Amino acid sequence: ELWLAYRGELPVAVLLGGVEGGFDGAMSEAILLGRRRLHGHLLAQSLAVHAGLEDALARRVLRVMRVAVHPQVQRQGIGSRLVNAAAQWAESEGLDAVGCAYGVDEPLLRFWSALGLQPMRLGVRVDPASAAHTLFMVRGLSAAGRRLVDRGSRQFRRDLPWALADVHSDLPPALAAVTPTASAASVRAGAVFRPTGSRRMPAASCPAARSCSATRKRWASLHTTSGALTVAPSTPSSRAAVACSRVSSPTSDRNCLG
């Protein structure tokens, strides 16, 4: 699908989008089991396979793939009007959501956030084309789409503080601040992030271990790390849970979170 913005008779901006998802149960199962990967369904498959949002496969989503505005008329709200026009069309067609996936940087994050899209997943690897982590953002249009976005955005904000100490430790502070669990001061200071409701572990309870790390494995039980030894618990845990394990380190116990 293509949207154009004109000034007089001259096109000054363009938006390219495509409809993704809407899979039936059999195809969804094949995708989740890794038997199928369908071209042109990046958003739906990534959220389902990598973020654990399986119902994303059944939802029909308009993914905005490109927005381009002529340099002489940028920063006049034309790109935002194109996105809103596309979202209105998607809603009129009965689609569940509008979304995007892009190499995250601060200006783009502000642009998409201002349009009401919520972060759902941040890619683990740096994309070679954009030289940045890919951020997936979605705005719900139907009741089912809004439920998906609510669940996914809450999961993202819950998990991001832990990821900042691990796979996303290279994320710039301004981008790390997308999580509401971290204050601006702690982001600037590069402090250890602590999710709401966590508490500090008393030093006496971990005399030989002065820092904590959280690990999560998709579709698997959580692992507790002790030195170089990794032990899986005897009973599987839900993938949504987070365990804090103790790792020997010379740092202060003030950085040890329970």
Side-chain angles (χ1 to χ4, degrees), residues 89-250:
W89 172 85
E91 187 171 14
S92 70
E93 292 292 311
L95 272 64
D96 296 296
V98 59
C100 62
Y102 61 94
V104 64
D105 64 22
E106 195 173 355
L108 284 175
L109 178 59
R110 287 198 303 267
F111 173 80
W112 290 109
S113 297
L115 288 165
L117 279 75
Q118 298 293 321
M120 302 276 280
R121 177 180 179 254
L122 186 60
V124 174
R125 297 181 178 86
V126 172
D127 184 87
S130 63
H133 293 277
T134 300
L135 183 62
F136 298 79
M137 299 183 71
V138 183
R139 184 176 97 194
L141 301 176
S142 68
R146 287 188 289 271
R147 287 193 298 270
L148 173 66
V149 172
D150 179 65
R151 177 188 168 200
S153 61
R154 283 190 288 109
Q155 175 178 292
F156 174 84
R157 287 180 167 85
R158 180 198 65 205
D159 294 348
L160 181 60
W162 300 105
L164 290 172
D166 188 13
V167 294
H168 293 137
S169 59
D170 59 340
L171 204 65
L175 296 178
V178 297
T179 171
T181 61
S183 66
S186 67
V187 171
R188 288 194 299 270
V192 174
F193 291 94
R194 179 171 55 164
T196 303
S198 65
R199 58 183 177 80
R200 294 192 180 277
M201 184 181 294
S205 66
C206 54
R210 300 304 188 186
S211 67
C212 285
S213 64
T215 59
R216 295 170 61 246
K217 285 188 177 293
R218 186 168 59 87
W219 312 122
S221 57
L222 294 173
H223 289 64
T224 303
T225 303
S226 177
L229 179 65
T230 299
V231 182
S234 57
T235 57
S237 304
S238 69
R239 67 171 300 275
V242 174
C244 187
S245 59
R246 297 182 296 177
V247 181
S248 298
S249 168

